[in-house]
Amino acid sequence: MRTFLIGFMGSGKSTVGRLLAARLNFRFVDLDAFIEEGEGTTIPEIFDEHGEDHFRLTEQKYLHSLGKESDLVIAAGGGTPCFFDNMKWINEHGVSVYLKTSAEELYNRLRSEKEHRPLLSGRSDEEMLKLIQDLLEYRDPFYRKASFTVKTKGSTPETVARTIFSLIRPQ
Ligand code: S3P
């Protein structure tokens, strides 16, 4: 079984994914970290040196390589479900869970860490909020194709992981 956690940057995919994987006794894969490990460089460097189009192709290649392994919890990148037919692929290769978080909450969480995110770095707070709102509106229809949606507002990562566990665990 594979479980894909999807949602915007800052929605908690990696933190929740780690907790969920521990509960299921599955391996946890953070797609961004998996790409960085395989490519021997960082995501911001890939964006800087080769551009976003190249990053999206690389991201798809690493996503597809996970189709060969099972018993995984995978935290996708925020943009992964929104390029090519990745969302279709994800749903054909496992169960997907959308961690749904409002633009305002994402803005508050991401403000202090925007320099690590190529899509946000170098923007003023005002520009960043607008970008999050616009991008979330564009991406939400992709995210909503997930098998399950879990709202994160007011919940700890432990609670979110427990909720997902009860939704997906084999009966
Ligand atoms: C991106 C999200 C990032 C990373 C890259 C692009 C996006 O992943 O893949 O910076 O397009 O939203 P996280 O959601 O894990 O931060």
Side-chain angles (χ1 to χ4, degrees), residues 7-11 13-14 30 32 35 43-44 47 52 55-56 59 75-80 83 110 116-119 135 139 143:
F8 209 83
M9 293 172 262
S11 57
K13 302 178 296 275
S14 303
D30 179 308
D32 288 339
I35 296 169
I43 306 284
F47 267 76
E52 182 171 355
F55 170 72
R56 295 302 171 191
E59 179 178 54
T80 315
F83 288 83
L110 290 168
H116 307 290
R117 323 255 182 179
L119 296 178
L135 205 50
R139 289 179 170 183
Y143 295 154

Side-chain angles (χ1 to χ4, degrees), residues 8 17 19 72 75 77 89 111 115 119 123 129 154 159 161 171:
F8 209 83
L19 294 166
L72 295 178
W89 189 92
R111 225 160 23 152
E115 297 318 320
L119 296 178
R123 293 179 196 269
L129 177 60
T159 308
Q171 298 302 309

